[in-house]
């Protein structure tokens, strides 16, 4: 039930705001927690979705938007704004289930409420050997018309074999 | 429609995160459970409002408890409470033999001492739900062998 998740997330953010005095720390915590969730979520995702290896970043983007987001949050963001080099794109979410029932009070204007999502995406992709940078560019909570997440491919992570092994 | 796996992961991460933060600023250990319980309380209040918008008024306490055991538990944990007992004097014991939040942790007595952390949120959830239905309560949990709990 999506309300349970939304309400729990809301309670979490509220608690974090109480525990940490400034918004930046809350943002960092959300990102860290999201990362931890992401590294586990990817296993669940791969097990259930039966998606094979993605050959390039564009395929990755499509899988994220059309399969992953649909499976876990019930929405299908659109993939746009590709950079000329093909290493950056935006996910546009018309509506963000995490922010149902939420309003940002004035004294938390630098809080990135849905920052958990950035961590989740980053953690999950790291487990499939991709280092990415994820951040929110637009946020409906702050008055923008849509929520936009910008994802940038940094590099492929090579598995490092321990010294001494072939 | 958020997925169940997502909620499970989020919940476990919240528990882990709280304790991680508590370790770094020592002396806060007992308060973690309280914080988790109060988070559950807020969520429970909100949830019960949404669920009971269209249902009829409850006849009595027992009716409310049955609602919690059937509809509420099913919506939150996708199954009903396995056993409800009462002494008809205000004490109710809800038993779930395969508590969703504990199935991933162990199937027996290993890690028993960690179980209460994962139950604090749910205790708050129940207390919040009851509170918005007009019942003041104290909710505690007991685990003797995972994943069953009371």
């Amino acid at each position: 039930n999506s309300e349970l998740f939304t309400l729990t997330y809301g309670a979490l953010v509220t608690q974090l705001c109480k525990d940490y005095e400034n918004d930046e720390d809350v943002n960092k915590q959300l990102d860290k927690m999201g990362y931890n969730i992401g590294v586990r979520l990817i296993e669940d995702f791969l097990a259930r979705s039966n998606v094979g290896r993605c050959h390039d970043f564009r395929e990755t983007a499509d899988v994220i938007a059309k399969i992953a987001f649909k499976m876990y949050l019930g929405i299908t963001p659109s993939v746009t704004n590709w950079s000329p080099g093909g290493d950056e794109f935006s996910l546009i979410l018309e509506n963000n289930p995490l922010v149902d029932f939420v309003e940002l009070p004035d004294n938390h204007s630098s809080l990135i409420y849905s920052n958990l999502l950035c961590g989740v995406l980053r953690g999950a992709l790291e487990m499939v050997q991709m280092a990415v940078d994820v951040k929110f560019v637009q946020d409906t909570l702050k008055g923008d018309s849509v929520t936009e997440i910008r994802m940038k491919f940094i590099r492929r992570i090579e598995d490092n074999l321990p010294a001494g092994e072939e | 429609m958020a997925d169940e796996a997502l909620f499970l992961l989020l919940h476990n991460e919240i528990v882990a995160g709280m304790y991680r933060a508590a370790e770094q600023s020592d002396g806060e250990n007992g308060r973690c459970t309280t914080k988790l319980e109060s988070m559950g309380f807020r969520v429970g209040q909100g949830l019960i409002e949404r669920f009971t918008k269209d249902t009829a008024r409850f006849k009595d306490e027992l009716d409310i408890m049955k609602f919690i055991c059937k509809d509420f538990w099913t919506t939150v944990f996708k199954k009903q409470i396995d056993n409800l007992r009462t002494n008809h004097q205000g004490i109710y014991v809800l038993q779930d033999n395969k508590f969703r939040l504990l199935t991933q942790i162990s199937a027996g007595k290993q890690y028993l001492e960690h179980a209460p952390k994962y139950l604090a949120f749910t205790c708050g959830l129940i207390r919040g739900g009851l509170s918005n239905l007009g019942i003041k309560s104290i909710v505690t949990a007991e685990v003797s062998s995972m994943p069953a709990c009371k």
Side-chain angles (χ1 to χ4, degrees), chain B residues 74-107:
Chain B
T74 313
T75 321
V76 177
F77 298 112
K78 308 277 185 309
K79 65 183 282 289
Q80 293 187 8
I81 282 277
D82 298 304
N83 199 337
L84 170 68
R85 291 203 295 272
T86 174
N87 67 356
H88 292 293
Q89 276 163 13
I91 302 208
Y92 296 86
V93 181
L94 286 69
Q95 182 166 337
D96 188 332
N97 291 331
K98 235 183 136 190
F99 189 51
R100 267 276 146 60
L101 300 178
L102 291 179
T103 42
Q104 308 284 342
I105 301 183
S106 94

Side-chain angles (χ1 to χ4, degrees), chain B:
Chain B
M1 267 304 295
D3 199 62
E4 202 196 336
L6 204 49
F7 173 69
L8 227 58
L9 283 173
L10 179 66
H11 175 263
N12 292 349
E13 185 52 37
I14 293 178
V15 175
M18 287 264 145
Y19 280 86
R20 247 196 330 254
E23 261 166 59
Q24 283 161 4
S25 58
D26 17 64
E28 286 242 343
N29 232 319
R31 303 202 33 220
C32 278
T33 327
T34 320
K35 283 192 206 171
L36 284 168
E37 215 257 355
S38 45
M39 280 174 66
F41 185 78
R42 299 172 52 119
V43 179
Q45 281 183 312
L47 272 181
I48 209 85
E49 268 177 27
R50 312 277 306 167
F51 290 167
T52 53
K53 247 186 342 184
D54 303 311
T55 54
R57 197 181 261 289
F58 292 110
K59 288 197 296 287
D60 58 12
E61 237 174 56
L62 190 56
D63 220 27
I64 296 187
M65 293 314 298
K66 287 201 214 153
F67 175 80
I68 301 261
C69 295
K70 293 210 200 115
D71 305 304
F72 189 72
W73 215 254
T74 313
T75 321
V76 177
F77 298 112
K78 308 277 185 309
K79 65 183 282 289
Q80 293 187 8
I81 282 277
D82 298 304
N83 199 337
L84 170 68
R85 291 203 295 272
T86 174
N87 67 356
H88 292 293
Q89 276 163 13
I91 302 208
Y92 296 86
V93 181
L94 286 69
Q95 182 166 337
D96 188 332
N97 291 331
K98 235 183 136 190
F99 189 51
R100 267 276 146 60
L101 300 178
L102 291 179
T103 42
Q104 308 284 342
I105 301 183
S106 94
K109 301 212 188 264
Q110 201 186 17
Y111 300 123
L112 205 54
E113 66 275 7
H114 295 289
K117 299 183 203 164
Y118 292 90
L119 293 167
F121 183 82
T122 312
C123 287
L125 203 67
I126 301 176
R127 191 165 68 87
L130 289 174
S131 140
N132 258 17
L133 288 172
I135 302 187
K136 267 208 180 65
S137 59
I138 300 180
V139 184
T140 55
E142 187 191 304
V143 184
S144 43
S145 171
M146 304 212 236
C149 70
K150 295 194 193 157

